[in-house]
Amino acid sequence: MEVITTVSEMRQKVRAARFAAKWVGLVPTMGALHEGHGSLIQRAVSECDTVIVSIFVNPTQFGPNEDLARYPRTLDADIRYCEKLGAHWIFAPSVEEMYPQEQLAWVNVEKVTEGLCGARRPGHFRGVATVCAKLFNIIQPDVAYFGQKDAQQAVVIQTMVRDLNFPLEIRVCPTVRDKDGLALSSRNQYLSKAERKKALCLSKALQKCRELIQSGQTNPDEIRRAVLPFFDQPEVFLEYFELVDPQTLRPLAEIRGPVLAAAAARVGTTRLIDNLLIDLQTPSA
Ligand code: PAF
């Protein structure tokens, strides 16, 4: 498996693959790979002829007080992991390679970026959409894989691809959890043992939310009231717990169909997100 670090070489490799009529899959990541990424890579390997994993800690999606500097960088281990899973190339450019001069063109996706994380991380989704647009233009994949764990990100990218006619398909794959329910995230590495236990507030609250909806509760305010105690712990700060339409991400006044329950909380200094797609037609969603 080859690691490619320049845009020109990446373009050349992909051109050759596409000329040979290969179906090209991209798994965009910021590295520090875990089994959540692993499930995306495995799916890509099972569905595509050529699988590229991009590893790039994208500075433009971090706010000034966020964790860009301490974000885990584990390239050697990531390369071994991708190789084991059967990916073909890693695209791991430097910041200078991706942003060689001041970036003047940006992708702004409206409305679906206004709530949830978008409201708390100004500019975050502009950075995500722009870097994904760059990756899609460099690699020109037929399909790109994203995790449901970052539900808002997946909707933002799907909207960008739809509205700007990018010629690729977006596949969103289920969240991978530890045995106790904690959603896998590269940021879990920041948690101490005690914080990791507290972090279960997110998955437990979402679980409770699902139970309430399954037992007939349709009032989002009542559900929010019922889950708040999970976050009532020292050093846990709830940013949001919201029940939104899975496609528009607008808050629901009443639950009548599929709902995305999405939460973000800080545990110590670590910001974590999680969500559940709840559809009574398919209770295992
Ligand atoms: O989900 C991530 O790891 C990042 O937001 C992404 C999609 C790779 C863009 O930098």
Side-chain angles (χ1 to χ4, degrees), residues 88-279:
H88 301 92
W89 297 315
I90 286 180
F91 179 50
S94 64
V95 173
E96 294 70 32
E97 184 69 16
M98 285 297 277
Y99 296 105
Q101 61 273 309
E102 187 187 358
Q103 181 81 12
L104 299 179
W106 297 93
V107 181
N108 272 312
V109 178
E110 297 178 356
K111 293 200 174 167
V112 291
T113 54
E114 281 169 10
L116 306 177
C117 290
R120 280 92 189 167
R121 303 185 68 188
H124 170 67
F125 287 116
R126 181 180 90 143
V128 170
T130 302
V131 82
C132 287
K134 286 162 82 79
L135 290 168
F136 294 165
N137 282 331
I138 295 164
I139 295 170
Q140 304 197 355
D142 297 292
V143 48
Y145 296 83
F146 290 84
Q148 173 63 24
K149 153 85 173 31
D150 297 304
Q152 189 173 17
Q153 169 170 280
V155 171
V156 170
I157 298 304
Q158 282 169 322
T159 306
M160 174 185 86
V161 163
R162 182 196 68 194
D163 289 359
L164 296 180
N165 304 90
F166 277 88
L168 78 151
E169 208 184 292
I170 301 298
R171 294 199 182 144
V172 182
C173 307
T175 302
V176 179
R177 298 178 182 279
D178 270 336
K179 278 198 195 78
D180 57 8
L182 186 70
L184 297 192
S185 160
S186 304
R187 290 189 167 97
N188 291 353
Q189 295 186 25
Y190 300 150
L191 300 169
S192 67
K193 220 170 157 189
E195 286 171 340
R196 200 197 163 290
K197 260 195 188 154
K198 292 182 187 194
L200 293 176
C201 58
L202 286 158
S203 54
K204 284 184 177 162
L206 289 164
Q207 215 34 60
K208 173 81 183 169
C209 169
R210 169 149 60 193
E211 284 162 21
L212 289 168
I213 293 174
Q214 279 170 344
S215 63
Q217 180 56 266
T218 58
N219 183 333
D221 291 336
E222 289 298 328
I223 293 173
R224 215 173 292 114
R225 239 191 306 281
V227 303
L228 281 183
F230 288 102
F231 301 95
D232 191 10
Q233 305 181 58
E235 290 172 64
V236 172
F237 172 75
L238 177 64
E239 273 192 14
Y240 64 78
F241 188 99
E242 288 191 36
L243 297 151
V244 299
D245 179 287
Q247 261 136 45
T248 64
L249 305 185
R250 281 201 211 108
L252 294 169
E254 196 183 4
I255 297 160
R256 295 228 150 269
V259 51
L260 178 74
R266 265 187 278 126
V267 179
T269 57
T270 306
R271 184 178 186 278
L272 299 172
I273 58 171
D274 197 357
N275 68 81
L276 269 189
L277 196 50
I278 304 163
D279 183 354

